[in-house]
Amino acid sequence: MTPVDSVSVTQAPFGILPDGSHVSVFTLRNRQGMQVKVLDFGAIISEIHVPDRDGTFADVVLGFERIEPYLANSAYLGAVIGRFGNRIAEGRFSLDGKDYQLAVNNAPNHLHGGTQGFHQVMWRAEPFTKEDAVGIALTRSSPDGEDGYPGQLDVTVVYELDNDNALSLRYHAVTDQATPVNLTNHSYFNLAGQGDILGHEVTINADRYLPVDAGSIPTGELAQVNGTPFDLRQSTVVGDSITVPHEQIRIGRGYDHNFVLNQTPGQLLNLAATVRDPVSGRVMQAYTQEPGVQFYSGNFLDGSQYGKLRANSYRSALCLETQHFPDAPNQAHFPNTILRPGQVYRTETVYRFSAE
């Protein structure tokens, strides 16, 4: 891939769903030759091609080449997650004096929106181009009662790729009833484009993290990272820190925890995390408005699903899911995740790619 004179977005068929719906893949390309591919099924980011220090491009996210494996996307590869990213204990919460029971799809808990979730539905796609960016807006209406959630939720997710190799993810939602909302994207990154991520270096801008119980539900404590393998405030090799003996690492089988991001007063987007691959020189920085980021080190990838040219094997990629805190509807001291009629849910995350 080489630099081009202008940005572009193209559409191509990607497959047909069992109900006959036709799925398309949209390719966003900037002037630097960077490409991002997005499906209108699940609002899935299926490919991200970025250059290394020598200008050689590689696809740095996990995904599939056909639609069929995405129909059983138990790892949520590349998808938008909703209504509520991460877990809700026992799928239960109370709101305004009424008890709700959500789908339990990660026994005994509710995970990533439930049995259907936003990752398993068609979205309406509208591509667009600007002088200095290219993108796609994806919209859907989640009906009252979907996976047990109250109210109709109208959602828009915008992916925009600029000419500085930054991919912006903007989320917008409104509701006609009070409902929990916590949207995120579940892309799996491997900046080498192959192998595992144990040699990747990770920095997370967080003084605290959320310890979890055996079911991966936060205990409620906002624990200090000092003296633990969760102190990633300085660049840390994943393969070194993940082997440090610690009860929370044992429970998660590695990293699968939400970090409480440090905030700079008055700053809209805060630097959440930086990932470096020292071999290729690729760097990814994640900026967000969200109060947390879930760092997941691919602990449950087992090679049973074959992705683009290779198996999605153990720790072959990592996730940085910017979000509010897990189980927030049940933990009053966590940042609020309840959206009410007349309010607007609006948040942005930016993944910026470079090489050094």
Side-chain angles (χ1 to χ4, degrees):
M1 299 178 190
T2 57
V4 295
D5 293 334
S6 61
V7 300
S8 65
V9 55
T10 57
Q11 179 180 356
F14 194 77
I16 302 175
L17 300 181
D19 67 0
S21 299
H22 288 252
V23 178
S24 292
V25 57
F26 296 82
T27 301
L28 315 180
R29 184 171 182 175
N30 70 7
R31 289 179 179 172
Q32 305 301 319
M34 179 177 166
Q35 289 189 12
V36 177
K37 295 192 176 184
V38 178
L39 307 183
D40 53 7
F41 176 77
I44 288 168
I45 296 174
S46 62
E47 299 181 25
I48 299 179
H49 296 262
V50 295
D52 65 7
R53 63 167 63 93
D54 298 319
T56 301
F57 282 79
D59 183 4
V60 297
V61 292
L62 299 188
F64 301 111
E65 294 180 307
R66 301 175 295 108
I67 190 58
E68 287 77 13
Y70 282 117
L71 303 181
N73 190 7
S74 60
Y76 305 91
L77 301 187
V80 164
I81 303 300
R83 291 186 192 188
F84 198 94
N86 221 308
R87 293 172 176 85
I88 295 177
E90 299 181 345
R92 299 175 183 170
F93 67 93
S94 297
L95 178 58
D96 298 337
K98 183 176 180 180
D99 296 333
Y100 292 90
Q101 178 64 62
L102 306 175
V104 173
N105 61 318
N106 183 241
N109 304 313
H110 175 85
L111 175 66
H112 291 336
T115 52
Q116 177 168 291
F118 288 6
H119 67 294
Q120 290 288 287
V121 296
M122 288 293 296
W123 294 65
R124 185 173 69 254
E126 297 182 10
F128 62 88
T129 58
K130 301 179 179 178
E131 183 178 351
D132 58 352
V134 62
I136 185 168
L138 299 124
T139 58
R140 77 171 299 253
S141 181
S142 173
D144 180 23
E146 185 173 60
D147 277 303
Y149 287 96
Q152 176 176 304
L153 188 74
D154 296 321
V155 183
T156 300
V157 178
V158 176
Y159 297 127
E160 183 171 303
L161 175 64
D162 71 18
N163 288 322
D164 293 321
N165 288 357
L167 176 63
S168 170
L169 288 65
R170 300 194 295 272
Y171 306 87
H172 178 282
V174 293
T175 184
D176 62 1
Q177 293 184 47
T179 187
V181 182
N182 183 27
L183 304 180
T184 189
N185 178 272
H186 211 301
S187 287
Y188 287 72
F189 298 98
N190 181 323
L191 297 186
Q194 60 184 349
D196 59 43
I197 47 83
L198 295 179
H200 281 39
E201 300 170 0
V202 174
T203 308
I204 298 182
N205 180 25
D207 296 334
R208 295 173 295 168
Y209 78 103
L210 304 183
V212 296
D213 63 18
S216 295
I217 296 296
T219 63
E221 179 186 8
L222 277 64
Q224 296 288 331
V225 300
N226 294 346
T228 77
F230 296 88
D231 190 350
L232 303 176
R233 292 173 293 184
Q234 302 296 322
S235 187
T236 303
V237 177
V238 174
D240 293 343
S241 61
I242 209 168
T243 59
V244 175
H246 192 278
E247 178 64 7
Q248 285 295 310
I249 292 290
R250 185 194 66 78
I251 289 174
R253 294 173 55 179
Y255 291 108
D256 192 7
H257 296 77
N258 199 277
F259 286 73
V260 181
L261 295 173
N262 298 330
Q263 305 287 326
T264 301
Q267 188 161 304
L268 183 63
L269 291 170
N270 287 279
L271 178 61
T274 302
V275 182
R276 290 182 170 85
D277 171 38
V279 176
S280 67
R282 293 189 184 93
V283 178
M284 183 183 76
Q285 295 173 297
Y287 295 83
T288 190
Q289 292 178 256
E290 291 297 291
V293 63
Q294 185 87 1
F295 175 31
Y296 172 54
S297 51
N299 314 318
F300 296 96
L301 297 173
D302 60 8
S304 61
Q305 290 187 317
Y306 199 84
K308 297 167 292 187
L309 304 179
R310 61 191 177 98
N312 298 329
S313 56
Y314 183 59
R315 291 183 178 156
S316 59
L318 59 82
C319 300
L320 291 168
E321 305 155 60
T322 56
Q323 58 187 237
H324 273 56
F325 300 167
D327 200 36
N330 295 314
Q331 307 210 29
H333 63 293
F334 285 179
N336 176 54
T337 56
I338 303 302
L339 181 68
R340 296 184 177 276
Q343 297 177 336
V344 177
Y345 176 96
R346 185 181 288 113
T347 186
E348 181 178 12
T349 292
V350 176
Y351 295 105
R352 184 177 298 277
F353 296 88
S354 60
E356 58 185 24

